[in-house]
Amino acid sequence: QIQLVQSGPELKKPGETVKISCKASGYTFTNYGMNWVKQAPGKGLKWMGWINTYTGEPTYADDFKGRFAFSLETSASTAYLQINNLKNEDMATYFCARSLYGSSPYYFDYWGQGTTLTVSS
Amino acid sequence: DIQMTQSPSSLSASLGGKVTITCKASQDINKYIAWYQHKPGKGPRLLIHYTSTLQPGIPSRFSGSGSGRDYSFSISNLEPEDIATYYCLQYDNLLTFGAGTKLELK
């Protein structure tokens, strides 16, 4: 069955770097794009951007340009979200979600379980 | 960027009842809207895409409709497991979520 399994909770200090993984199984990894979605505490869902798993090209939503990086380890069917120079406002749960795509992603049909990031000095 | 105005932000309903949530887009989104159910500690669950297409395994109690800028999502015959937060997502031009609707039992 199709699964996206994310890495465990993270506790980081401001200024540090975090890398969250999302391991896919049950389908051909390069046939679907991988998206990242942020949910801050008590807030709604916000699309961060996506990575074309066939070409490796990332696209970042406007609010996530600069400190955020999407990457792949295609041989391991795994996508990564890296956040550099962590700030308090990065504290959130991060989800990966797969989608078919054309020039941009379509809706997300499968999601990871979420990774909770705590940022505290 | 396309904005999605979702309402209400919360609602309470009785078991067996019906609820309707609306999403209004800032421009025509050509029916490219999906609806999700989200429960704490889990990833969201896709219920409907392309306005009204039910995902396999989703009960027919869930339905969607709309066109242009205006879309709605309904749940009939409410069951206890329907208690969750619901989101719309437009995917006509990049992707934008609505703010969410928290559904509680009356």
Side-chain angles (χ1 to χ4, degrees):
Chain A
Q1 76 281 22
I2 296 165
Q3 283 191 303
L4 300 178
V5 179
Q6 297 183 225
S7 47
E10 299 272 6
L11 173 59
K12 296 289 184 182
K13 292 180 169 56
E16 293 186 333
T17 294
V18 70
K19 193 170 186 177
I20 296 168
S21 67
C22 172
K23 182 169 178 60
S25 60
Y27 71 97
T28 302
F29 184 66
T30 52
N31 284 356
Y32 291 80
M34 194 64 76
N35 299 262
W36 291 94
V37 174
K38 177 182 180 180
Q39 184 175 35
K43 302 293 186 181
L45 304 172
K46 190 165 189 178
W47 181 67
M48 301 173 66
W50 73 296
I51 186 164
N52 183 320
T53 54
Y54 188 77
T55 65
E57 180 182 3
T59 300
Y60 302 96
D62 286 345
D63 288 347
F64 298 96
K65 292 178 179 175
R67 298 186 296 113
F68 300 84
F70 307 144
S71 62
L72 302 171
E73 187 178 350
T74 304
S75 61
S77 297
T78 300
Y80 297 95
L81 163 64
Q82 180 166 313
I83 310 174
N84 301 314
N85 187 21
L86 282 165
K87 303 181 185 303
N88 289 333
E89 55 262 38
D90 295 325
M91 189 156 66
T93 297
Y94 293 88
F95 296 95
C96 60
R98 77 164 200 177
S99 67
L100 290 169
Y101 58 91
S103 57
S104 70
Y106 301 152
Y107 59 91
F108 316 135
D109 60 351
Y110 284 89
W111 295 65
Q113 82 277 19
T115 295
T116 299
L117 169 64
T118 302
V119 181
S120 175
S121 53
Chain B
D1 291 7
I2 296 177
Q3 309 303 317
M4 299 296 288
T5 302
Q6 184 173 342
S7 60
S9 57
S10 65
L11 75 162
S12 61
S14 303
L15 292 177
K18 180 177 180 178
V19 298
T20 298
I21 298 167
T22 64
C23 268
K24 188 176 187 73
S26 57
Q27 65 188 64
D28 187 343
I29 56 170
N30 299 298
K31 295 193 170 187
Y32 290 114
I33 188 168
W35 293 91
Y36 293 87
Q37 178 190 69
H38 192 201
K39 297 182 179 181
K42 294 187 168 185
R45 177 190 184 198
L46 174 66
L47 303 174
I48 287 171
H49 67 93
Y50 196 58
T51 296
S52 58
T53 302
L54 236 55
Q55 271 296 93
I58 302 300
S60 58
R61 306 184 291 105
F62 296 90
S63 63
S65 65
S67 63
R69 295 174 58 197
D70 295 302
Y71 298 85
S72 65
F73 166 80
S74 295
I75 313 171
S76 59
N77 299 322
L78 270 171
E79 297 188 4
E81 59 264 32
D82 298 335
I83 300 310
T85 300
Y86 292 85
Y87 294 90
C88 64
L89 169 73
Q90 74 78 20
Y91 54 100
D92 180 62
N93 186 337
L94 296 181
L95 295 100
T96 315
F97 287 97
T101 297
K102 187 172 185 179
L103 175 59
E104 296 170 326
L105 273 179
K106 194 178 289 184

